[in-house]
Amino acid sequence: MNLSGANTTHVLLAEDDNEDYYIFSVAIQQVPLTVLLTRAENGELLMKLLDEKVPDILFLDMLMPCKDGQQCLREIRANKKYDSLPIIVYSSLDDLRTIEFCYREGSNLYAIKPSSFDELKTILERILTIDWRKVMYFPTFSDFVLNPH
């Protein structure tokens, strides 16, 4: 998966926990794709990094300092600049209320942090091989305008 057309997929991971970041970074290196991984340790840094360069895909933790994942999700989806950005919530929270909130606010997928390294590799490979351009539909203005002629 690579929305920019280059051979490298730019993945931005918003994750404050060093151990979770390390495990994610090792697992993503074992996925058979070329990935550039960038990290945002908190919600404020995430928004700054997004403003500088939109990645191909965002993995968003819900429990972060400064701005939590819910605040970031709302802010990202409120900005049309990020309409085509696939947002994968990547969280240890597995309650229905949080999951429903994330989908309602515009996340594209909700992935619960797995308990094993092999499960994480499988999840990452599945997510990164989705052609998000085909899954995400963004109608143009002409899709909404009926032309009587």
Side-chain angles (χ1 to χ4, degrees), residues 91-114:
S91 180
S92 57
L93 299 175
D94 64 356
D95 61 286
L96 188 57
R97 187 176 182 181
T98 302
I99 295 168
E100 286 176 343
F101 170 88
C102 291
Y103 280 117
R104 203 173 39 252
E105 295 298 324
S107 70
N108 299 95
L109 197 60
Y110 194 101
I112 297 168
K113 291 180 180 178

Side-chain angles (χ1 to χ4, degrees), residues 19-34:
E19 186 174 322
D20 284 350
Y21 170 73
Y22 175 74
I23 292 167
F24 187 98
S25 68
V26 172
I28 208 163
Q29 289 174 8
Q30 296 185 20
V31 171
L33 297 167
T34 305

